[in-house]
Amino acid sequence: MAMTLHLDVVSAEKALFSGTVSAVFAPARMGDVGIYPRHTPLVTSLRPGELKIEVEGKEDQYLYVSGGILEVQPHVVTVLSDTAIRAEDLDEAKAMEAKQRAEDALRDQKGDLDAAKAQAELARAAEQLRMIERMRKMRK
Amino acid sequence: MAGEKEIRTQIASIKNTQKITKAMEMVAASKMRKAQDRMNATRPYSQKMLNVIGHLANAHAEYHHPFLIEHAEVKRVGFIIVSTDRGLCGGLNINAFKAALKAMQDWQQQGVGIDLCLIGAKGTAFFKRFSGSIISQVSHLGDTVHIGELIGTIKTMLDAYTEGSIDRLFLVENEFVNTMTQRPKVSTLLPLVAEDNEELKHHWDYIYEPDAKVVLDELLRRYIESIVYQSVVENVACEMAARMIAMKSASDNAGELIADLQLAYNKARQAAITQEISEIVGGAAAV
């Protein structure tokens, strides 16, 4: 029996690869790993790098992953690939940005001001209309 | 009865409006198809991730991640509310906001504080007047959303949970049932409840690299992010579907209005002609 394993490579935005392969090489956090069938169960995070997929009788395929997680079971390998570049301090910066935006949105009362202005104008116009209506009636 | 000319200009202006609503309907229809494709493309990721998490939960790791720990006492809760950036999409946003407000009210009656995380400009505009505090906000994501744009916003809420400043985290989103129906949904993000799945019961003894803590942390973070990302993508599909329906009914209404006005116009024209003829006849008789 030919030794194969099933590989799934998925990212949050779409599925990238799914099929039967003979070996996978991945850039793991602690160094590159080569996964052949019957590998011992392993979970590891990935560095940004190249994923090499070997399929019997076909040319090797390469996929770029910008990090993610690799799960290995004896005959099933799953790569959860990131689409965004991740780093602890980069994430932190993004979080700060999101907070800043919230504060800006709260401070920005311009929208409300415009609404208030429009409302005042509307009230004035309605008052004018009522005046015209009254004058018409008086004339009749 | 209004004059002929006035009716004619009114018809012309309604026709212009109808042209716009028809165009918007068609644009929304084509965008909806793309958004639906994107929505379906995001499914495998969270499914696979759920599998992996299921395996890990059954692998009896000695480490318990903060996301899996339920806070016994609830003092403050967080809501992530997904909305659209633009209007003219029927009651889509309002329905979701109503569902959110109802859930919030239940907590507020128990004296629980509320933190908000808003995705989309409409949500920001709506909840600005709300008494809860807005922790983070992101808007103007466009039709093609990338997960990178959401990471920061979600992280603020996840950090708040880890620190213990919020004790529950909810997600308010629109569920895409079909083109005609979008249903607002409030679901619990945190704490994560590990599902007991018989299929996943076999016991894997994983090797963790670098260690269980780091891997679990990355995995769970990405899992929550992918759920929120999915709901944002789904919301785009909902937005387009809702807009398509709203614009379709607007076009139909415009058509009805035009038909009514056309009738009124014809009557007015007929009346004017009749009047003219009777005047001529009257004039001829006088001669």
Side-chain angles (χ1 to χ4, degrees):
Chain A
M1 193 185 97
M3 294 274 278
T4 55
L5 48 82
H6 187 81
L7 171 70
D8 280 306
V9 185
V10 289
S11 80
E13 284 163 28
K14 59 173 179 274
L16 298 170
F17 182 91
S18 177
T20 310
V21 302
S22 50
V24 191
F25 298 88
R29 181 61 47 89
M30 311 287 280
D32 289 7
V33 288
I35 314 285
Y36 285 90
R38 294 206 191 150
H39 194 284
T40 179
L42 164 77
V43 178
T44 178
S45 56
L46 298 176
R47 288 179 288 119
E50 234 171 21
L51 195 73
K52 185 180 162 194
I53 304 166
E54 279 189 9
V55 185
E56 217 174 74
K58 277 193 196 161
E59 250 178 61
D60 294 353
Q61 280 189 50
Y62 294 91
L63 278 175
Y64 178 77
V65 287
S66 55
I69 287 160
L70 173 79
E71 191 220 14
V72 182
Q73 288 167 26
H75 286 284
V76 181
V77 176
T78 312
V79 179
L80 303 163
S81 151
D82 288 343
T83 40
I85 295 162
R86 306 291 296 260
E88 191 54 41
D89 38 346
L90 201 65
D91 286 6
E92 192 62 52
K94 277 181 180 161
M96 290 303 289
E97 229 175 83
K99 277 186 188 164
Q100 189 61 43
R101 273 197 304 269
E103 278 165 26
D104 289 349
L106 277 181
R107 214 181 302 118
D108 177 22
Q109 297 294 333
K110 198 162 153 276
D112 283 352
L113 201 71
D114 282 351
K117 213 193 243 173
Q119 220 148 36
E121 253 163 68
L122 186 71
R124 206 185 315 144
E127 192 53 48
Q128 276 173 346
L129 271 176
R130 228 170 288 146
M131 274 281 287
I132 293 166
E133 206 71 32
R134 220 177 295 147
M135 277 165 75
R136 258 192 208 156
K137 270 186 198 154
M138 274 166 71
R139 222 182 287 161
K140 272 181 189 168
Chain B
M1 193 169 280
E4 268 176 72
K5 194 167 181 298
E6 276 137 56
I7 299 178
R8 212 164 39 215
T9 46
Q10 213 175 351
I11 289 175
S13 102
I14 293 172
K15 269 189 182 154
N16 278 338
T17 312
Q18 196 188 24
K19 263 183 218 160
I20 294 169
T21 55
K22 260 196 186 143
M24 282 182 79
E25 181 195 333
M26 281 187 278
V27 169
S30 86
K31 277 187 179 173
M32 185 189 73
R33 238 162 279 142
K34 276 183 214 151
Q36 259 178 302
D37 291 344
R38 266 198 296 278
M39 185 176 90
N40 293 330
T42 59
R43 293 251 157 90
Y45 184 72
S46 51
Q47 222 135 52
K48 288 278 174 245
M49 200 161 245
L50 205 61
N51 275 351
V52 175
I53 289 174
H55 291 155
L56 289 185
N58 286 314
H60 310 291
E62 60 288 349
Y63 169 67
H64 284 284
H65 194 272
F67 292 171
L68 299 170
I69 300 166
E70 192 174 338
H71 298 192
E73 201 183 346
V74 181
K75 290 200 214 81
R76 207 165 176 83
V77 294
F79 278 89
I80 296 180
I81 299 169
V82 183
S83 63
T84 68
D85 277 337
R86 279 166 296 170
L88 289 180
C89 49
L92 185 74
N93 285 321
I94 288 296
N95 287 343
F97 296 158
K98 267 191 205 151
L101 283 177
K102 195 167 161 283
M104 284 180 205
Q105 235 165 23
D106 291 347
W107 286 110
Q108 271 175 331
Q109 272 162 9
Q110 296 170 36
V112 173
I114 289 170
D115 282 343
L116 292 176
C117 162
L118 303 168
I119 300 173
K122 287 284 162 193
T124 316
F126 185 87
F127 285 102
K128 215 168 6 180
R129 284 160 293 170
F130 182 69
S131 53
S133 63
I134 300 171
I135 298 291
S136 58
Q137 184 262 340
V138 66
S139 59
H140 303 292
L141 297 167
D143 297 334
T144 325
V145 190
H146 295 292
I147 200 161
E149 295 165 297
L150 298 172
I151 291 171
T153 319
I154 300 163
K155 186 180 161 67
T156 55
M157 292 315 257
L158 296 184
D159 287 352
Y161 189 84
T162 317
E163 285 161 16
S165 58
I166 58 171
D167 306 302
R168 291 271 190 289
L169 183 59
F170 298 97
L171 175 70
V172 183
E173 53 160 335
N174 280 299
E175 195 184 353
F176 188 93
V177 184
N178 54 40
T179 319
M180 299 296 289
T181 327
Q182 294 86 36
R183 198 179 302 137
K185 193 172 85 179
V186 183
S187 51
T188 311
L189 279 182
L190 292 177
L192 273 176
V193 186
E195 273 176 58
D196 256 347
N197 193 335
E198 282 303 318
E199 256 180 62
L200 305 171
K201 269 287 177 303
H202 38 239
H203 182 108
W204 297 108
D205 242 343
Y206 281 109
I207 306 171
Y208 295 98
E209 265 185 41
D211 59 61
K213 188 171 174 296
V214 176
V215 174
L216 261 180
D217 188 64
E218 282 197 12
L219 197 64
L220 293 177
R221 231 166 237 287
R222 277 170 180 68
Y223 178 61
I224 301 284
E225 281 165 9
S226 82
I227 292 180
V228 177
Y229 173 73
Q230 229 178 6
S231 73
V232 172
V233 175
E234 194 168 348
N235 200 60
V236 174
C238 286
E239 178 190 353
M240 293 310 161
R243 178 167 301 136
M244 194 180 83
I245 300 299
M247 287 303 116
K248 189 172 162 40
S249 69
S251 306
D252 292 351
N253 285 344
E256 266 171 46
L257 217 58
I258 289 171
D260 286 351
L261 283 172
Q262 194 72 48
L263 196 68
Y265 171 74
N266 289 345
K267 275 185 184 161
R269 201 173 67 101
Q270 197 64 53
I273 293 168
T274 313
Q275 199 187 350
E276 219 168 287
I277 290 173
S278 65
E279 270 166 22
I280 292 167
V281 171
V287 173

